[in-house]
Amino acid sequence: MSVLLHNLSREREMENVHLAVEEEDIYSGYNDYNPTFDSEELENDVGFQQAVRTSHGRRPPMTAKFPGTAIGARPLATAFGARIPLASSMGRPMTGAVQDGAARPMTAVRAAGYTSSLTRGSTFDPLGQSKGPAPPLEGKNEDTPEEKIKILEKKVNDLIEESCMAQSIGALQLALEKAKEAGRKERALVRQREQSGNAEHINLDLTYSVLLNLANQYANNEMYPEALNSYQVIVKNKMFSNAGRLKVNMANIYVKQKSYPKAIKFYRMALDQISNAHKELRIKIMQDIGVVFVRMGQYSDAITSFEHIMSESPNIKTGFNLILCYYAIGDRERMKKAFQKLISVPLGIDDEDKYISSNDDNDSNMVIEAIKNDKLHQMERNLKVLAEKYIMTAAKLIAPAIETSFATGFDWCVDIVKSSQYIELANDLEINKAITYLRQKDFNQAVETLKTFEKKDSRVKSAAATNLSFLYFLEKDYDQADRYADLAMTADRYNPAALINKGNTVFVKQDYEKAAEFYKEALRNDSSCTEALYNLGLTYKKLNRLDEALDCFLKLHAILRNSAQVMYQLANLYELLEDPQQAIEWLIQVLSVTHTDPQALAKLGELYDSEGDKSQAFQYYYESFRYYPSNIDVIEWLGAYYIETQFCEKAIQFFERATLIQPTQVKWQLMVASCYRRSGNYQKALETYKDIHRKFPENVECLRFLVRLCTDMGLNEVQEYATKLKKVEKMKEIREQRVKSGRESSSRGRREGSAGSADSAHSSSTKGERLSAKMRSLPGSNEPYEASSPKEIDASYVDPLGPQMERPKTGAKRRVEDDDFADEELGDDLLPE
């Protein structure tokens, strides 16, 4: 028994030793596996097979502590002797089973929205609508510092945007107010961040945007000191990267202030802070430096800048500026070289041929139509037009300077242009050559130059013929003007300038209906042709179609808002339409444009006089006299006004001025003497009448007043002057009888003459009438000067005060006569558009 116990205890000890060794085996357990993952026995798993067959993946009801199958859970022994309950007959765990107190995640075995509760009579509600509306969202708490900061940042950004939008529409003051408000909000934002302990999270980009916008708005409102201070704040802050570029803006302000040395300094500082990688920006700054040097008159420094640009990145504007600098210093050879560089600058634009459809492909034609007038093509056209403008201007500038004569210089420019990409400009240069001849008053050379274009293409021929027609029209050679106008229309029927010139030649022949048709056709071809519209209005006025003329000039006024001629024509039309108030309003507008126009002032005085407003009429007549003291009509009205208001002493100065202007007209000297008599200065009046009698010894009125004054003053000379008066009156009667007899004889000859001698009788009668008219208008054989008519001066001897002068119904000469064919009215511009 003891032996058995001893053996048993020994076996137990050995067993313990063996177990200890197995626990220390670190490689044990690698061959063990969980039967749950044994896929070979799935066919014998009743629970799995039943789940596969059901439509919703339902499982049999759970019968154990852990979910299991109908077979029940079986323990599984491990190498350590532990037992793990299985979820199914094959040891496969149940989906969604709870193990060790934790639920496994849902798998895709159960479809979304389908639950086993449907078998118990519940309704199908995959969206959970039967549970009622969702609870309201939890409101955002705006009282927290973070939310306040976010709201304030948004307000600052909105103010900056509103400021920029206001500036874009021209509301500069509003833009500045918004920029200032954004600055105040941004400073409040910084203080709030510092109070909340987030000073290190300050938004530097927002601060930069606020300061930059404020500086820009100050500059836009021409508040240059404030703008410079704002830019200086940004530039001096080292935390802002690339702030040195803003020195360009500061330099631009100095240029506007004409502080050119400071502008140069800041441009160069900005240039130093921009790397060579930004080549285009550096070129623009150097170009600004060159322009400032030009304004300072330092052409050599400007040439250095422009030459560097033309060697690095040539462009049209810099090439033109370089030519101007060479012209300023008078360097002929370098002008030529610069002009050659200018015309060789590449524009970087495509050929116009690509916008012409060359096949029947509808798709390609649609694309061509779409891009024919898009923004890119418009930019290309504008660039080409600008280049042609600079080249033409440069050629016209240097042509007289590069050679001994301007004609040789023009020929050199034409040859250079013909060998370049701007070959079509050569003809325009030739036309400009003709215009230069015109400026030098060499009309023959101008005509000869323009005639050379008669055999060239239609566009150039039309332009040359238009200018020739205009030249002949100015010389009043209307037949040649009409011929070349027809030639210009034949070459280009849609040339509005040619149609205007044709209408002008018809206008001077008084065929107004036909002229109006040509002007209308010119307007149909070019609705913005102001010359055609102006001439059409004049034509309608000639045809007495005043309403249509008024419509033309109103349209023209909408185009040319500050044209004094158009406004004067409107005033004249309203006067013809018997609307003086409207005429006065338009004349006042004329004076708002031309403040010192004496004719407009005089016309306004005439209208106020016709309305009975003497004080306003006097004001405008007197202003007209101040600006143009040689207008006889104005002088006569002012003198009559002072006589009418019993200020004869003041009237004397006006009639004396009229005497200086028209010394052969005796009536002004008689009016001076009459004013002396009216003012009671009889001695001065007598001396004046004696002086008039010496100049005009056969003037009846002067002798009558001499007799009257000598009688009143008791002088002995009265008999002498009375004798002279009788002699002069007798000579006057004899002269009138001769005129009367001449008229009677001529009329008798016309009545008694036969049909064959009708022409000769008419000729003698006409001569007789001319002679009588001439005798009436001219002084007698012994009169050295013309005598005045009694109708002009009422020299009634009965009135003791002398002649009573009626107020003259004068009308100041219009500033633009209806039938004046000045260049501004009916002539077309010499430069063809």
Side-chain angles (χ1 to χ4, degrees):
M1 184 65 178
S2 61
V3 175
L4 291 172
L5 290 172
H6 177 72
N7 292 333
L8 181 59
S9 62
R10 189 171 180 84
E11 290 176 2
R12 289 178 178 175
E13 290 176 1
M14 294 301 294
E15 184 179 1
N16 292 333
V17 172
H18 176 69
L19 290 173
V21 173
E22 288 181 354
E23 288 178 356
E24 293 176 357
D25 187 6
I26 62 176
Y27 298 101
S28 62
Y30 284 98
N31 294 326
D32 300 335
Y33 70 99
N34 194 335
T36 306
F37 304 106
D38 186 6
S39 60
E40 295 179 356
E41 295 296 329
L42 289 178
E43 295 180 359
N44 300 325
D45 190 342
V46 179
F48 178 79
Q49 294 298 327
Q50 186 176 0
V52 171
R53 287 194 299 271
T54 57
S55 61
H56 300 293
R58 293 192 299 271
R59 299 296 177 89
M62 295 179 292
T63 57
K65 179 178 180 181
F66 297 99
T69 62
I71 300 176
R74 291 180 293 181
L76 177 65
T78 64
F80 299 97
R83 295 181 180 272
I84 301 175
L86 299 177
S88 65
S89 60
M90 296 302 295
R92 184 173 170 273
M94 180 65 182
T95 302
V98 180
Q99 298 181 4
D100 297 333
R104 288 180 66 250
M106 181 68 70
T107 64
V109 174
R110 191 175 81 177
Y114 295 93
T115 61
S116 59
S117 60
L118 290 175
T119 58
R120 295 191 292 272
S122 62
T123 58
F124 175 70
D125 189 15
L127 300 178
Q129 297 178 358
S130 61
K131 297 179 181 180
L137 296 175
E138 185 176 353
K140 187 180 294 185
N141 187 7
E142 297 183 357
D143 294 333
T144 61
E146 293 79 6
E147 289 298 327
K148 289 182 179 180
I149 289 172
K150 288 182 180 179
I151 293 172
L152 203 53
E153 279 187 353
K154 187 177 183 303
K155 288 182 179 179
V156 173
N157 283 315
D158 291 342
L159 286 171
I160 294 175
E161 185 176 353
E162 291 173 6
S163 175
C164 295
M165 293 299 294
Q167 189 268 333
S168 66
I169 62 175
L172 302 180
Q173 188 63 35
L174 177 61
L176 180 59
E177 293 298 327
K178 293 290 184 181
K180 289 180 179 179
E181 187 177 355
R184 291 191 292 267
K185 295 282 186 185
E186 194 274 335
R187 288 191 293 273
L189 174 63
V190 172
R191 288 194 299 268
Q192 191 165 348
R193 283 188 182 277
E194 291 175 350
Q195 292 173 2
S196 62
N198 294 329
E200 66 277 2
H201 296 103
I202 293 177
N203 191 346
L204 291 177
D205 292 338
L206 185 63
T207 304
Y208 182 85
S209 300
V210 169
L211 291 174
L212 179 59
N213 181 59
L214 181 61
N216 289 338
Q217 300 310 328
Y218 275 133
N220 292 333
N221 284 272
E222 298 183 357
M223 302 171 66
Y224 298 132
E226 292 84 353
L228 289 172
N229 292 335
S230 299
Y231 283 128
Q232 199 70 26
V233 171
I234 301 174
V235 171
K236 288 185 176 180
N237 196 333
K238 302 298 182 182
M239 301 179 67
F240 296 140
S241 60
N242 298 324
R245 296 186 180 184
L246 295 182
K247 291 181 180 178
V248 175
N249 296 18
M250 300 175 70
N252 292 338
I253 292 177
Y254 283 125
V255 171
K256 292 178 182 178
Q257 292 180 331
K258 297 185 178 180
S259 299
Y260 299 130
K262 286 186 177 180
I264 295 288
K265 175 183 175 183
F266 275 85
Y267 277 135
R268 286 177 171 170
M269 290 170 63
L271 197 63
D272 293 338
Q273 297 185 12
I274 297 174
S275 64
N276 293 327
H278 301 87
K279 181 179 178 181
E280 185 176 354
L281 182 58
R282 289 178 61 87
I283 290 296
K284 289 182 178 179
I285 295 175
M286 292 191 68
Q287 187 169 347
D288 291 339
I289 292 174
V291 171
V292 175
F293 275 131
V294 169
R295 294 189 178 185
M296 295 173 66
Q298 300 180 12
Y299 299 112
S300 299
D301 296 328
I303 288 172
T304 303
S305 298
F306 292 145
E307 284 180 344
H308 176 75
I309 296 172
M310 291 300 288
S311 62
E312 294 290 331
S313 177
N315 60 79
I316 290 292
K317 187 177 293 186
T318 304
F320 180 73
N321 290 338
L322 185 60
I323 291 176
L324 293 180
C325 292
Y326 288 144
Y327 180 81
I329 64 176
D331 194 333
R332 294 185 177 183
E333 294 302 322
R334 295 171 82 179
M335 270 191 277
K336 290 183 178 181
K337 293 179 181 179
F339 185 76
Q340 291 174 344
K341 287 183 180 179
L342 177 64
I343 64 175
S344 62
V345 171
L347 297 180
I349 61 177
D350 295 328
D351 190 18
E352 290 289 332
D353 294 338
K354 81 170 189 177
Y355 298 104
I356 301 175
S357 58
S358 58
N359 51 30
D360 297 332
D361 189 359
N362 293 330
D363 294 338
S364 62
N365 292 338
M366 290 176 64
V367 171
I368 291 172
E369 288 296 327
I371 67 174
K372 185 178 292 185
N373 200 31
D374 61 354
K375 295 292 184 182
L376 180 60
H377 193 203
Q378 291 177 10
M379 184 188 72
E380 291 177 347
R381 282 202 301 262
N382 294 336
L383 181 60
K384 187 175 181 181
V385 169
L386 182 65
E388 292 177 352
K389 175 185 175 183
Y390 281 142
I391 292 171
M392 288 288 295
T393 306
K396 289 187 289 185
L397 178 68
I398 68 173
I402 58 178
E403 298 291 346
T404 55
S405 65
F406 88 94
T408 309
F410 261 109
D411 292 339
W412 181 87
C413 292
V414 169
D415 293 338
I416 295 297
V417 170
K418 284 182 178 179
S419 61
S420 69
Q421 56 182 329
Y422 303 100
I423 186 172
E424 65 275 4
L425 293 181
N427 294 324
D428 295 335
L429 279 175
E430 296 255 5
I431 291 178
N432 277 281
K433 179 181 176 181
I435 294 173
T436 307
Y437 278 124
L438 286 177
R439 292 197 179 108
Q440 296 180 353
K441 309 298 183 183
D442 193 348
F443 295 100
N444 294 328
Q445 284 292 337
V447 171
E448 291 299 324
T449 304
L450 290 172
K451 285 183 178 180
T452 59
F453 291 94
E454 292 186 16
K455 297 181 180 180
K456 296 193 176 182
D457 61 83
S458 59
R459 186 187 69 85
V460 180
K461 183 194 297 184
S462 177
T466 300
N467 291 333
L468 283 170
S469 174
F470 178 66
L471 287 175
Y472 283 120
F473 186 85
L474 292 181
E475 293 178 352
K476 296 185 179 181
D477 188 351
Y478 300 126
D479 293 334
Q480 286 291 339
D482 185 63
R483 172 176 171 270
Y484 279 102
D486 290 334
L487 182 62
M489 291 170 55
T490 304
D492 184 5
R493 181 68 186 184
Y494 299 99
N495 184 357
L499 292 167
I500 291 173
N501 286 341
K502 179 64 177 178
N504 294 346
T505 58
V506 177
F507 188 99
V508 295
K509 296 175 182 178
Q510 299 183 359
D511 190 353
Y512 302 122
E513 292 287 352
K514 194 173 181 180
E517 292 300 323
F518 284 111
Y519 297 142
K520 289 178 183 178
E521 187 176 354
L523 285 171
R524 285 193 294 269
N525 294 336
D526 183 5
S527 59
S528 62
C529 185
T530 55
E531 294 87 355
L533 192 58
Y534 188 93
N535 294 346
L536 183 62
L538 289 181
T539 306
Y540 282 143
K541 192 159 70 167
K542 285 290 186 181
L543 293 170
N544 203 27
R545 293 156 63 175
L546 300 182
D547 291 331
E548 295 178 64
L550 185 65
D551 184 54
C552 289
F553 285 113
L554 286 173
K555 290 179 181 177
L556 195 59
H557 177 66
I559 301 172
L560 306 174
R561 303 294 298 180
N562 296 322
S563 174
Q565 286 186 338
V566 174
M567 289 187 282
Y568 186 87
Q569 291 294 338
L570 287 167
N572 181 248
L573 284 170
Y574 278 114
E575 183 185 5
L576 295 175
L577 291 169
E578 299 180 355
D579 190 350
Q581 292 301 323
Q582 282 289 338
I584 289 172
E585 290 295 328
W586 282 106
L587 281 173
I588 291 174
Q589 290 193 39
V590 172
L591 292 177
S592 68
V593 178
T594 57
H595 310 284
T596 60
D597 189 338
Q599 303 299 341
L601 288 166
K603 186 64 180 178
L604 198 54
E606 179 187 350
L607 288 174
Y608 275 117
D609 186 26
S610 64
E611 289 292 299
D613 193 343
K614 298 284 186 180
S615 61
Q616 286 285 355
F618 171 74
Q619 177 184 349
Y620 286 108
Y621 270 124
Y622 191 76
E623 287 294 314
S624 176
F625 174 77
R626 284 180 58 235
Y627 293 120
Y628 183 57
S630 301
N631 190 329
I632 290 294
D633 297 329
V634 174
I635 291 172
E636 187 176 3
W637 191 94
L638 288 171
Y641 174 80
Y642 279 118
I643 290 177
E644 186 178 349
T645 56
Q646 304 300 321
F647 291 101
C648 299
E649 298 87 350
K650 293 185 178 180
I652 292 174
Q653 60 174 328
F654 295 102
F655 292 127
E656 286 179 345
R657 183 172 290 275
T659 302
L660 295 175
I661 297 171
Q662 294 181 347
T664 61
Q665 292 289 333
V666 68
K667 67 177 181 179
W668 307 123
Q669 301 180 43
L670 289 173
M671 288 307 302
V672 172
S674 177
C675 289
Y676 282 126
R677 281 194 315 105
R678 287 171 178 265
S679 61
N681 193 347
Y682 297 110
Q683 186 63 37
K684 188 69 175 175
L686 181 62
E687 294 176 0
T688 306
Y689 280 125
K690 288 181 177 180
D691 185 63
I692 295 172
H693 178 64
R694 284 193 297 270
K695 295 178 180 177
F696 305 94
E698 295 186 2
N699 185 270
V700 177
E701 290 83 0
C702 180
L703 289 171
R704 285 176 181 173
F705 282 114
L706 281 172
V707 172
R708 176 65 176 172
L709 281 174
C710 290
T711 303
D712 293 341
M713 297 174 68
L715 299 176
N716 297 326
E717 300 170 324
V718 60
Q719 189 63 37
E720 178 185 354
Y721 290 124
T723 305
K724 289 182 178 180
L725 176 61
K726 291 180 181 179
K727 187 183 298 185
V728 170
E729 287 179 345
K730 187 175 182 180
M731 291 178 61
K732 187 177 180 180
E733 290 177 359
I734 295 172
R735 192 182 304 120
E736 290 177 354
Q737 289 178 358
R738 289 177 180 176
V739 171
K740 185 176 180 180
S741 62
R743 289 178 181 175
E744 290 177 355
S745 61
S746 61
S747 60
R748 190 183 305 110
R750 283 196 301 269
R751 286 195 303 269
E752 296 176 356
S754 62
S757 62
D759 293 339
S760 60
H762 177 70
S763 176
S764 62
S765 170
T766 305
K767 289 180 181 179
E769 290 178 356
R770 288 176 182 171
L771 180 61
S772 62
K774 189 172 182 180
M775 290 179 67
R776 288 196 305 270
S777 61
L778 296 177
S781 58
N782 296 326
E783 290 182 357
Y785 296 96
E786 181 180 0
S788 63
S789 172
K791 293 183 180 179
E792 295 172 345
I793 301 295
D794 185 7
S796 176
Y797 187 74
V798 178
D799 184 8
L801 293 179
Q804 296 291 329
M805 176 178 172
E806 295 183 357
R807 180 185 59 80
K809 296 182 180 180
T810 63
K813 185 178 179 181
R814 291 196 301 272
R815 185 173 185 273
V816 181
E817 296 291 346
D818 297 344
D819 53 352
D820 283 345
F821 294 97
D823 299 353
E824 305 84 51
E825 295 179 354
L826 291 174
D828 192 41
D829 194 357
L830 278 175
L831 290 174
E833 296 294 337

